[in-house]
Amino acid sequence: MAVITLASVAGAPGVSTSALGLALAWPRDVLLADCDRDPAQTIPAGYLRGTDLGGRGLGQLAAVHREHRRLAEEIWLQTVRLDGGERDRRFLPGFTHPGAVGLFGPIWQELADSFVALGASGTDVLVDAGRVGRDGLPGPLLMTSDVLLVTVRSSLRALAALRLHLPAVQAQLEALAAHAELALLVVGPGKPYSGAEIEKQFGLPARYSIAWEPKQARVFSDGAKPSRGLAGGSLVRSYRACSSRLAESVQRRTEVVAGTRPSVEWGAR
């Protein structure tokens, strides 16, 4: 099973909305983890419509760490169910206060190890890492990811920003000797540039894409009431197609690199 991290380099291409859509369409059991270091509460206040999460999330995991208890044994207790489908699709809420982010530094490694252990138990993990930022992403998340998906719009403005910031992302991966595949998730291919054109320009895989449908996306980003045709609409279809392709790709990749990462004992969930 796999750990996939989604991030952006600039602008607002909808990382959280894209990650949520992929999680809801994921073909296997999945955990969506909000690890954005710029707390926004996008999913709790949007898709979950302000549902009381009972204090669950990264804040409680920080308390577990301070009490010298193992995160791997507690992480599942800090999740909430995303939907009532056949698959077990869970959400790990993120930071609820900006000040908590700076105190989380010593915990990233154990959290990342817990994601790997969860993957070993049969559940894939999608990590919403938000914007990369000037200091890059938390190293442990990159070291334990099978794929780093950088989300980007297909507009010239978005691609120009990607050109500026992408070298720093590549440099961080190289400095860490991380084995994660770096790929692009194109939001709105063909508006105006196609995935093939973007792939040619940046020399990175751009085979994953999501439709640009702002009205439909508000169901996931803002908790808008779904229309009757949403399930068969282009956005949801693109979520399904992208999640299926990504799940198949990372499964093949993890089989190839199996045994390259240290094993982590997984506690009961």
Coordinates of all heavy atoms in Angstrom, one line a residue, residues 189-238:
P189 N -6.9 20.4 -17.3 CA -6.1 20.2 -18.5 C -6.8 20.8 -19.7 O -8.0 20.7 -19.8 CB -5.9 18.7 -18.6 CG -7.1 18.1 -17.8 CD -7.3 19.1 -16.7
G190 N -6.0 21.4 -20.6 CA -6.6 22.0 -21.8 C -7.1 23.4 -21.6 O -7.8 23.9 -22.5
K191 N -6.9 24.0 -20.4 CA -7.4 25.3 -20.2 C -6.2 26.3 -19.9 O -6.2 26.8 -18.8 CB -8.4 25.3 -19.1 CG -9.7 24.5 -19.4 CD -10.7 24.6 -18.2 CE -11.9 23.8 -18.6 NZ -12.7 24.4 -19.6
P192 N -5.3 26.6 -20.8 CA -5.3 26.1 -22.2 C -4.4 25.0 -22.5 O -4.4 24.5 -23.6 CB -4.9 27.4 -22.9 CG -3.9 28.0 -22.0 CD -4.4 27.7 -20.6
Y193 N -3.4 24.7 -21.6 CA -2.4 23.7 -22.0 C -2.8 22.3 -21.6 O -3.3 22.1 -20.5 CB -1.1 24.1 -21.3 CG -0.6 25.5 -21.8 CD1 -0.7 26.6 -21.0 CD2 -0.1 25.7 -23.1 CE1 -0.3 27.9 -21.4 CE2 0.3 26.9 -23.5 CZ 0.2 28.0 -22.7 OH 0.6 29.3 -23.1
S194 N -2.4 21.3 -22.4 CA -2.7 19.9 -22.2 C -1.7 19.3 -21.2 O -0.6 19.9 -21.1 CB -2.8 19.2 -23.5 OG -1.5 19.1 -24.0
G195 N -2.0 18.2 -20.7 CA -1.0 17.5 -19.8 C 0.2 17.1 -20.6 O 1.3 17.2 -20.1
A196 N 0.1 16.7 -21.9 CA 1.2 16.4 -22.7 C 2.1 17.6 -22.9 O 3.4 17.4 -22.9 CB 0.7 15.8 -24.0
E197 N 1.5 18.7 -23.1 CA 2.3 19.9 -23.3 C 3.1 20.3 -22.1 O 4.3 20.7 -22.1 CB 1.5 21.1 -23.8 CG 0.9 20.9 -25.2 CD -0.1 22.0 -25.5 OE1 -1.0 22.3 -24.7 OE2 0.0 22.6 -26.6
I198 N 2.4 20.2 -20.9 CA 3.0 20.5 -19.6 C 4.1 19.5 -19.3 O 5.2 19.9 -18.9 CB 2.0 20.5 -18.5 CG1 1.0 21.7 -18.8 CG2 2.6 20.7 -17.2 CD1 -0.3 21.6 -17.9
E199 N 3.9 18.3 -19.6 CA 4.9 17.2 -19.3 C 6.1 17.5 -20.2 O 7.3 17.3 -19.7 CB 4.3 15.9 -19.7 CG 5.2 14.7 -19.3 CD 4.5 13.4 -19.4 OE1 3.4 13.3 -18.9 OE2 5.1 12.4 -20.0
K200 N 6.0 17.9 -21.4 CA 7.1 18.2 -22.3 C 7.9 19.3 -21.8 O 9.2 19.3 -21.9 CB 6.6 18.4 -23.7 CG 7.7 18.7 -24.7 CD 7.1 18.9 -26.1 CE 8.2 19.1 -27.1 NZ 7.7 19.3 -28.5
Q201 N 7.3 20.4 -21.3 CA 7.9 21.6 -20.9 C 8.7 21.4 -19.6 O 9.8 21.9 -19.4 CB 6.9 22.7 -20.7 CG 6.5 23.3 -22.0 CD 7.6 24.0 -22.7 OE1 8.4 24.7 -22.2 NE2 7.7 23.7 -24.0
F202 N 8.2 20.5 -18.7 CA 8.8 20.4 -17.3 C 9.5 19.1 -17.2 O 10.3 18.9 -16.2 CB 7.7 20.5 -16.2 CG 7.2 21.9 -16.1 CD1 6.1 22.3 -16.8 CD2 7.8 22.8 -15.2 CE1 5.6 23.6 -16.7 CE2 7.4 24.1 -15.1 CZ 6.2 24.5 -15.8
G203 N 9.4 18.2 -18.1 CA 10.1 16.9 -18.0 C 9.7 16.1 -16.8 O 10.4 15.2 -16.3
L204 N 8.4 16.3 -16.4 CA 7.9 15.5 -15.3 C 6.6 14.8 -15.7 O 5.8 15.4 -16.6 CB 7.6 16.4 -14.1 CG 8.7 16.9 -13.3 CD1 8.3 17.9 -12.2 CD2 9.6 15.8 -12.7
P205 N 6.2 13.7 -15.2 CA 5.0 13.0 -15.5 C 3.8 13.9 -15.2 O 3.7 14.5 -14.1 CB 4.9 11.8 -14.7 CG 6.4 11.5 -14.3 CD 7.0 12.8 -14.2
A206 N 2.9 14.1 -16.2 CA 1.7 14.9 -16.0 C 0.5 14.1 -16.4 O -0.4 14.7 -17.0 CB 1.8 16.2 -16.7
R207 N 0.5 12.8 -16.1 CA -0.6 11.9 -16.6 C -1.8 11.9 -15.6 O -2.8 11.3 -15.9 CB 0.0 10.5 -16.7 CG 0.6 9.9 -15.4 CD 1.2 8.5 -15.7 NE 1.9 8.0 -14.6 CZ 3.1 8.2 -14.3 NH1 3.9 9.0 -15.1 NH2 3.7 7.7 -13.2
Y208 N -1.7 12.6 -14.5 CA -2.8 12.7 -13.6 C -3.5 14.0 -13.7 O -2.8 15.1 -13.7 CB -2.3 12.5 -12.1 CG -1.5 11.3 -11.9 CD1 -0.1 11.4 -11.6 CD2 -2.0 10.0 -12.1 CE1 0.7 10.2 -11.4 CE2 -1.2 8.9 -11.9 CZ 0.1 9.0 -11.5 OH 0.9 7.9 -11.4
S209 N -4.8 14.0 -13.8 CA -5.5 15.3 -14.0 C -6.9 15.3 -13.4 O -7.5 14.2 -13.2 CB -5.6 15.6 -15.5 OG -6.4 14.6 -16.2
I210 N -7.4 16.4 -13.1 CA -8.7 16.6 -12.5 C -9.4 17.7 -13.3 O -8.8 18.7 -13.7 CB -8.7 17.0 -11.0 CG1 -8.2 15.8 -10.2 CG2 -10.0 17.4 -10.5 CD1 -7.9 16.0 -8.8
A211 N -10.7 17.5 -13.6 CA -11.4 18.5 -14.4 C -11.6 19.8 -13.6 O -11.6 19.9 -12.4 CB -12.8 18.0 -14.7
W212 N -11.6 20.9 -14.4 CA -11.9 22.3 -13.8 C -13.3 22.6 -13.9 O -13.9 22.9 -14.9 CB -11.0 23.3 -14.5 CG -11.3 24.7 -14.1 CD1 -11.9 25.7 -14.8 CD2 -10.9 25.3 -12.8 NE1 -11.9 26.9 -14.0 CE2 -11.3 26.6 -12.8 CE3 -10.3 24.8 -11.7 CZ2 -11.2 27.5 -11.7 CZ3 -10.1 25.6 -10.6 CH2 -10.5 27.0 -10.6
E213 N -14.0 22.3 -12.8 CA -15.5 22.6 -12.7 C -15.8 23.3 -11.4 O -16.2 22.6 -10.4 CB -16.2 21.2 -12.8 CG -16.1 20.5 -14.1 CD -16.9 21.2 -15.2 OE1 -17.6 22.1 -14.9 OE2 -16.7 20.7 -16.4
P214 N -15.6 24.6 -11.3 CA -15.8 25.3 -10.0 C -17.1 25.1 -9.4 O -17.2 25.0 -8.1 CB -15.5 26.8 -10.5 CG -14.7 26.7 -11.7 CD -15.2 25.5 -12.4
K215 N -18.2 25.1 -10.1 CA -19.5 24.9 -9.5 C -19.7 23.6 -8.9 O -20.1 23.5 -7.7 CB -20.6 25.1 -10.6 CG -22.0 25.1 -10.0 CD -23.0 25.4 -11.1 CE -24.4 25.4 -10.5 NZ -25.5 25.8 -11.6
Q216 N -19.2 22.5 -9.5 CA -19.3 21.2 -8.9 C -18.3 21.1 -7.8 O -18.6 20.4 -6.8 CB -19.0 20.2 -10.0 CG -20.0 20.1 -11.1 CD -19.5 19.1 -12.2 OE1 -18.9 18.1 -11.9 NE2 -19.9 19.4 -13.5
A217 N -17.2 21.7 -7.9 CA -16.2 21.6 -6.8 C -16.6 22.2 -5.5 O -16.1 21.8 -4.4 CB -14.9 22.3 -7.3
R218 N -17.6 23.2 -5.6 CA -18.0 23.8 -4.3 C -18.7 22.8 -3.4 O -18.8 23.0 -2.2 CB -19.0 25.0 -4.6 CG -18.3 26.2 -5.1 CD -19.2 27.4 -5.0 NE -20.3 27.4 -6.0 CZ -20.2 27.9 -7.2 NH1 -19.0 28.5 -7.6 NH2 -21.2 27.8 -8.0
V219 N -19.2 21.7 -3.9 CA -19.7 20.6 -3.0 C -18.7 20.1 -2.1 O -18.9 19.8 -0.9 CB -20.3 19.5 -3.9 CG1 -20.8 18.3 -3.0 CG2 -21.5 20.0 -4.7
F220 N -17.4 20.0 -2.6 CA -16.3 19.4 -1.9 C -15.6 20.5 -1.1 O -15.1 20.3 0.0 CB -15.4 18.7 -2.8 CG -16.1 17.6 -3.6 CD1 -16.5 17.9 -4.9 CD2 -16.3 16.4 -3.1 CE1 -17.2 16.9 -5.6 CE2 -17.0 15.4 -3.8 CZ -17.4 15.7 -5.1
S221 N -15.5 21.7 -1.6 CA -14.7 22.8 -1.0 C -15.5 23.6 0.0 O -15.0 24.0 1.0 CB -14.1 23.7 -2.1 OG -15.2 24.4 -2.8
D222 N -16.8 23.7 -0.2 CA -17.6 24.6 0.6 C -18.9 23.9 1.2 O -19.7 24.6 1.8 CB -18.1 25.8 -0.2 CG -16.9 26.7 -0.6 OD1 -16.4 27.5 0.2 OD2 -16.4 26.6 -1.8
G223 N -19.0 22.6 0.9 CA -20.2 22.0 1.5 C -21.5 22.3 0.8 O -22.6 22.2 1.4
A224 N -21.4 22.8 -0.5 CA -22.6 23.2 -1.2 C -23.5 21.9 -1.4 O -23.0 20.8 -1.5 CB -22.3 23.8 -2.5
K225 N -24.8 22.1 -1.5 CA -25.7 21.0 -1.8 C -25.4 20.4 -3.1 O -25.4 21.1 -4.1 CB -27.2 21.5 -1.7 CG -28.2 20.4 -1.8 CD -29.6 21.0 -1.7 CE -30.6 19.9 -1.9 NZ -32.0 20.4 -1.8
P226 N -25.2 19.1 -3.2 CA -24.9 18.5 -4.5 C -26.1 18.5 -5.4 O -27.2 18.3 -5.0 CB -24.5 17.0 -4.1 CG -25.2 16.8 -2.7 CD -25.2 18.1 -2.1
S227 N -25.8 18.7 -6.7 CA -26.9 18.6 -7.7 C -27.2 17.2 -8.0 O -26.5 16.3 -7.7 CB -26.5 19.4 -8.9 OG -25.4 18.7 -9.5
R228 N -28.3 17.0 -8.7 CA -28.8 15.6 -9.0 C -27.8 14.9 -9.9 O -27.6 13.7 -9.8 CB -30.2 15.7 -9.6 CG -30.7 14.3 -10.0 CD -32.1 14.4 -10.5 NE -33.0 15.0 -9.5 CZ -34.3 15.3 -9.8 NH1 -34.9 15.0 -11.0 NH2 -35.1 15.8 -8.9
G229 N -27.1 15.6 -10.7 CA -26.2 15.0 -11.7 C -24.8 15.0 -11.3 O -23.9 14.7 -12.1
L230 N -24.5 15.4 -10.0 CA -23.1 15.5 -9.6 C -22.3 14.2 -9.8 O -21.2 14.2 -10.3 CB -23.0 15.9 -8.1 CG -21.6 16.0 -7.6 CD1 -20.8 17.2 -8.2 CD2 -21.6 16.2 -6.0
A231 N -22.9 13.0 -9.4 CA -22.2 11.8 -9.4 C -21.8 11.4 -10.8 O -20.7 10.7 -11.0 CB -23.1 10.7 -8.8
G232 N -22.5 11.8 -11.8 CA -22.2 11.5 -13.2 C -21.5 12.6 -13.9 O -21.2 12.6 -15.1
G233 N -21.2 13.7 -13.2 CA -20.6 14.9 -13.8 C -19.1 14.7 -14.1 O -18.5 13.8 -13.6
S234 N -18.6 15.7 -14.8 CA -17.2 15.6 -15.3 C -16.2 15.6 -14.1 O -15.1 14.9 -14.2 CB -16.9 16.7 -16.3 OG -17.1 17.9 -15.7
L235 N -16.5 16.4 -13.1 CA -15.5 16.4 -11.9 C -15.4 15.1 -11.2 O -14.3 14.6 -11.0 CB -16.0 17.5 -11.0 CG -15.1 17.7 -9.7 CD1 -13.7 18.1 -10.2 CD2 -15.6 18.7 -8.8
V236 N -16.6 14.5 -10.8 CA -16.5 13.2 -10.1 C -15.9 12.1 -11.0 O -15.2 11.3 -10.6 CB -17.9 12.9 -9.6 CG1 -17.9 11.4 -9.1 CG2 -18.4 13.9 -8.6
R237 N -16.3 12.2 -12.3 CA -15.7 11.2 -13.2 C -14.2 11.3 -13.3 O -13.4 10.3 -13.3 CB -16.2 11.4 -14.6 CG -17.7 11.0 -14.8 CD -18.0 10.7 -16.2 NE -17.6 11.7 -17.2 CZ -18.3 12.7 -17.5 NH1 -19.5 12.9 -17.0 NH2 -17.8 13.6 -18.4
S238 N -13.7 12.6 -13.2 CA -12.2 12.8 -13.2 C -11.6 12.3 -11.9 O -10.5 11.8 -11.9 CB -11.9 14.2 -13.5 OG -12.2 15.1 -12.4

